Amino acid sequence: MSSTTLQLAVIIASVREGRFGPVVSAWFAEQARRHRSFEVDVIDLAEVPLPLELPSTPPALDPNMQRPASMAELTRRLAVADAYVIVTPDYNRSIPASLKAAIDWHFSQWDAKTIGFVGYSGASGGLLAIEHLRQIFNELNAHTVRNYVSFPRFFELFDAEGRLHEPDGPAAAATAMLDQLHWWASALAAARSPQPVG
Ligand SMILES: Cc1cc2nc3c(=O)[nH]c(=O)nc-3n(C[C@H](O)[C@H](O)[C@H](O)COP(=O)(O)O)c2cc1C
């Protein structure tokens, strides 16, 4: 891929012991690599300390906000991404607290970027978390794409090696979402560029 290849960060939202998130994210990251339109970076929030105590000045009002040094690498990886796909379960009809903390510790990193979702859980397949994320990212001036991937009753869909029993439908859903993400990521990267167009 060229140095101008768009960057996609795939974010594993859940951090609990025994979580299923890495299985879903590994499947999606493979779909994203096969799509060949992004350089793919998988960010595992379980590897980052995410304190709940934010600084006194909200990130929106402080472009130079100080974060814990242990968060610097996460911040760098979020900042270079042109697009994100968040892999999230429903936790009590919403998102895991780990993901909300990671979002709230940042601000400009999400600005004018595009975001897609892969959800999984019981009956709702992550859709309740995804709908909350659309509201959250609207506040952060990010564009969430229409298409998504959802795995209701995820525990029946994957084998012990993390392969889907019936992969074609989810693969088509991932491709449709990645197509939309690529369109928006290209448009927003050009719009964010300080270079005049043309
Ligand atoms: C705190 C918590 C809340 C949950 N709430 C829901 C829920 O509202 N709806 C649902 O279908 N499943 C719910 N579940 C079940 C999760 O979908 C399931 O445990 C899934 O494996 C969680 O993702 P993870 O393994 O990556 O943490 C919940 C699980 C946890 C741990």
Side-chain angles (χ1 to χ4, degrees), residues 40-52:
V40 179
D41 179 26
V42 178
I43 297 177
D44 186 350
L45 295 185
E47 296 173 356
V48 189
L50 293 165
L52 295 179

Side-chain angles (χ1 to χ4, degrees), residues 24-56:
V24 183
S25 70
W27 170 82
F28 179 74
E30 179 59 22
Q31 306 304 307
R33 291 189 186 100
R34 285 186 194 169
H35 197 263
R36 301 185 64 81
S37 53
F38 292 102
E39 197 165 299
V40 179
D41 179 26
V42 178
I43 297 177
D44 186 350
L45 295 185
E47 296 173 356
V48 189
L50 293 165
L52 295 179
E53 293 162 35
L54 291 165
S56 56

Side-chain angles (χ1 to χ4, degrees), residues 123-139:
S124 49
L127 286 179
L128 300 168
I130 290 171
E131 288 308 307
H132 279 173
L133 286 166
R134 292 189 190 283
Q135 295 177 35
I136 291 165
F137 281 113
N138 199 9
E139 175 62 18

